[in-house]
Amino acid sequence: MITLLLRKFALYRYFVKLLFTTIVRKKAGKVGENLRVNYYSTVTKNTVLGNNVNFNGFRVLGGGKVIIGNNFHSGSGCIVMTTIHNYDYGNKIPYDETVIHKNVTIEDNVWLGINVTILPGVTIEEGAIIQAGSVVTSNIPACAIAGGHPAKVFKYRNKDHYY
């Protein structure tokens, strides 16, 4: 009985992953090979995905462009924002209806921990790791390990070994 339930659950998870992957594949502007979407995720038509992208609950919000390189992995609850309110030059206070779009680039071999938020205009360079719960407000250099709010680099990967 338990074996039958486990098989049914495994079949259910297979079809759920297939559904989530299909939705992301259809919404994204461009998708590479081996996309895996394990939990509900959403992207925009301005999203470009490389090869071996793995989402475990990932959302792209806003009208800016998001480029994600090869071998990307995200924990659950990750958000990439590409639009901000026009709070400085709008006609109303605290902000008006106009918005500003800024692109986000995530290069190859980047890993985001659970509940990472990336703000508009950020570039995360190759091989970087972002600690769980971090808010990335500025660019992160290659092979950096960063975390916090705002995310700051606190260590680097072994670059000789990485490259």
Side-chain angles (χ1 to χ4, degrees):
M1 180 72 165
I2 292 176
T3 305
L4 180 62
L5 287 173
L6 290 174
R7 284 185 187 162
K8 285 185 178 182
F9 180 74
L11 188 61
Y12 166 78
R13 284 297 306 150
Y14 171 79
F15 283 112
V16 167
K17 290 178 183 182
L18 184 63
L19 174 65
F20 292 152
T21 301
T22 301
I23 290 169
V24 168
R25 189 177 299 283
K26 287 187 177 201
K27 283 189 174 183
K30 185 178 177 186
V31 179
E33 297 177 5
N34 300 320
L35 172 66
R36 284 182 299 274
V37 183
N38 297 314
Y39 294 94
Y40 175 77
S41 298
T42 185
V43 297
T44 68
K45 65 181 179 180
N46 296 326
T47 304
V48 176
L49 304 175
N51 299 320
N52 303 314
V53 170
N54 190 337
F55 292 151
N56 286 304
F58 186 86
R59 295 187 303 156
V60 174
L61 306 173
K65 187 172 188 175
V66 174
I67 300 172
I68 297 176
N70 299 324
N71 308 313
F72 172 81
H73 186 88
S74 74
S76 63
C78 293
I79 298 172
V80 173
M81 299 169 59
T82 63
T83 299
I84 58 174
H85 290 287
N86 186 11
Y87 55 83
D88 270 340
Y89 301 104
N91 295 323
K92 298 178 186 171
I93 304 247
Y95 57 87
D96 64 9
E97 298 80 18
T98 60
V99 293
I100 300 166
H101 302 293
K102 293 185 176 185
N103 299 335
V104 171
T105 301
I106 301 172
E107 294 181 358
D108 295 344
N109 307 315
V110 170
W111 173 19
L112 303 182
I114 190 171
N115 293 329
V116 170
T117 300
I118 300 172
L119 297 185
V122 167
T123 296
I124 300 176
E125 293 183 10
E126 180 181 351
I129 299 171
I130 309 300
Q131 184 181 43
S134 298
V135 178
V136 183
T137 61
S138 60
N139 296 343
I140 303 296
C143 294
I145 301 174
H149 179 25
K152 301 284 185 204
V153 175
F154 60 86
K155 185 177 178 182
Y156 282 87
R157 296 174 86 164
N158 181 329
K159 290 183 181 182
D160 292 334
H161 179 72
Y162 177 83
Y163 290 112

